Every structure is written in structure tokens, then in C-alpha cells.
Amino acid sequence: MTGTVLTTRRVDAYHALTVVAPGIAERYRPGHFVSVAVGGAHTSMITRRALTVHDVKPDYGGTVELVFTVRGPGTAWLAERRARDTLDLVGPLGRPFPLPRDPVHCVLVGAEYGSAVLFPVADALMERGCRVDFLLGGASADRVFGAMRARRMAETTTLTTEDGSLGLRGKVADALPSVIADTRADAVYACGPMETLRAVTAVAIEFDIPVQVAVEESMACGIGVCMTCVIPVIGDDGATRMVRACAEGPVFRGERVRFEDVGTIPFDALGAPGGGARHAG
């Protein structure tokens, strides 16, 4: 659909665009993402950019706020958009976060702008009577997204930075064991770079609690056609398959993602030369 930019703003190191997109807002569920065409009539780029949805509101028939960081010419073009500009959008895409049926204690772990996706998750969890605690981090203070909003809505909010400029010095996974213990968490929801998700999943496994992760992979098409975002994931039958993060994900059970093999095709994945299943489900 064609969406009209309503507002633009800087959020420390990041950019946020609020776009009027009723069809996307109506169907959105926490964890979905949106694919955006970039470039103008004479500068359009072949691949779209997959963007995180931070907020959805009923204003103007339905708006979505998209959060991103500038990494190249495509996102640099997006950062230059202004109110009343139009964008070509596809969404909502992907599979959303599963939500618990009963009230439980949940820790939401976000690193860098990956934290943005967790705020709609927090709203949905609290509507179900769940306790929500945030653990947010980044390389520096300006790269920790949503600290003030998290403090307003959560029972507790713990912040980490790698340079020590805000909160605890270190990464979110370093602080996660104490947060899980202090909050008596029953589940973990996480989004961020792959290395962060790998470390967070390892902590959740150590505490024997479920962890749902929204992976950050390059998604050229966003609809499962191009196969650029495949990652190795263990299925219910114990077999490893190369699955599309944009279609079968971006949300997966953390313990099912073979983080150590991301970027490769494991020898034992179905269809690979080994053809077996090394890991049990």
C-alpha cells in the first residue's frame, strides 16, 4: 500500500517515521515487520528495507511508527523523508510473538534499536495480566532505545551500555541472570543482533525458562521469495532445516535456532550433503 508520512523524529542515534497505513495497522500483531521501497522515481533501489514497528495507533484510520538506523544509501534516503511524503509499504509481514494464555512474569530484553519491537509486546502482555520487566542495552547511551518509555510502563527497567555511559557496564546478557532471578521470570522475549540473541538464549536455557527471539537478518524481499534470510532452525522432529526469517520468522524459539551455524548451511541440515539431524528438538 501507499502510506503518507505523518511525522518524523530523531530518537538519539535512530530515526522514527510515523506513517498513515490503515491496512497495516489493522492487521498488525507484536513482532510483525514492514517492508519499505527506497529511492525516488529515478533513484529507486531493487531491494526493499525491512523495518521494525515500534508503535501502532488508531489515529487517521491507523498509523505505524517505524524505527531504523542509517546503514547505507537506502536507509539514508528514508531518513530524509518528511511529513506528507509517501512510501510504498508491504505489511504486516512475518510471524508475531506468541503470547502466554495465563498471567506470567516476563523479561523483555532488547539491544540497540531491536528494543523497539518489544514495546507492543509489552502492551499485549500487560493486557493479559502479565508482569513485564525490561532489560535494554546498547554500545553507548545514545544507542539504548526506549529507556524512558520502559521505565514508565514496566515493573522494573535495567539498562546496560558497553562503555558504561548509562546504567550497568556490559551487555544485556551479562545482566540477564540477576534480572531473571530478581523478577522470578517465567519467560524471556528478546530482539537484537544475533550475538545478543545467542547469549540471551544461553542464559534462558540455563534457567530452564522459554525464550522467544525476533532475529535480525537481512531481508531483501520480506515475503519469502529471495532466500537471502535463511537460518538453521531445529524442527519439532529434531531435524535442522534452513528456514526463512521473513516468512517462518522473524520470531523463533531461541533454543531452536542454531546460532553457532548462522551464515552457513550445516552439514546435517535436511537437503545438505550430510542430510541428517544432529540436534534433538
Side-chain angles (χ1 to χ4, degrees):
M1 67 173 296
T2 298
T4 301
V5 176
L6 185 64
T7 62
T8 67
R9 64 189 180 109
R10 284 296 300 267
V11 187
D12 294 324
Y14 308 113
H15 297 265
L17 297 178
T18 298
V19 184
V20 179
I24 294 175
E26 179 184 356
R27 297 172 178 84
Y28 171 80
R29 298 293 180 271
H32 281 149
F33 66 94
V34 172
S35 180
V36 184
V38 294
H42 304 291
T43 60
S44 60
M45 302 175 195
I46 294 176
T47 58
R48 291 173 171 264
R49 300 299 183 270
L51 300 186
T52 294
V53 177
H54 172 234
D55 208 0
V56 175
K57 293 182 178 178
D59 307 3
Y60 301 93
T63 64
V64 294
E65 185 177 62
L66 310 174
V67 174
F68 62 96
T69 186
V70 173
R71 287 183 171 173
T75 45
W77 180 87
L78 279 172
E80 295 171 353
R81 298 309 93 200
R82 295 296 178 262
R84 294 186 294 278
D85 286 346
T86 58
L87 293 175
D88 183 311
L89 311 170
V90 178
L93 298 172
R95 298 178 63 183
F97 280 100
L99 301 174
R101 286 185 295 245
D102 302 314
V104 294
H105 292 191
C106 301
V107 174
L108 276 55
V109 185
E112 305 283 326
Y113 68 94
S115 302
V117 75
L118 297 176
F119 290 92
V121 180
D123 287 332
L125 289 171
M126 289 189 293
E127 286 177 3
R128 295 180 176 228
C130 296
R131 168 176 168 148
V132 169
D133 296 270
F134 271 103
L135 171 53
L136 307 177
S140 54
D142 65 329
R143 304 196 72 83
V144 178
F145 183 89
M148 290 184 64
R149 183 178 178 186
R151 283 170 169 157
R152 288 195 299 267
M153 66 191 305
E155 291 288 333
T156 66
T157 297
T158 303
L159 307 176
T160 70
T161 49
E162 294 175 37
D163 65 359
S165 56
L166 178 67
L168 304 173
R169 180 183 291 273
K171 300 182 178 182
V172 287
D174 300 329
L176 184 56
S178 61
V179 172
I180 290 176
D182 292 344
T183 63
R184 299 180 180 178
D186 301 301
V188 173
Y189 291 79
C191 185
M194 282 296 198
E195 279 304 309
T196 297
L197 299 182
R198 178 180 183 175
V200 167
T201 295
V203 173
I205 291 173
E206 181 181 345
F207 279 84
D208 194 27
I209 59 176
V211 54
Q212 299 285 343
V213 300
V215 302
E216 292 184 0
E217 276 292 295
S218 296
M219 301 175 185
C221 74
I223 57 174
V225 175
C226 70
M227 305 297 287
T228 61
C229 64
V230 293
I231 61 173
V233 175
I234 304 164
D236 292 338
D237 58 358
T240 294
R241 294 172 176 82
M242 302 302 295
V243 303
R244 301 163 298 179
C246 68
E248 284 76 33
V251 177
F252 297 98
R253 288 169 54 181
E255 74 276 9
R256 295 291 183 87
V257 180
R258 289 174 57 170
F259 289 105
E260 71 277 11
D261 294 319
V262 169
T264 71
I265 300 177
F267 78 94
D268 57 346
L270 289 180
R278 183 176 64 189
H279 294 269

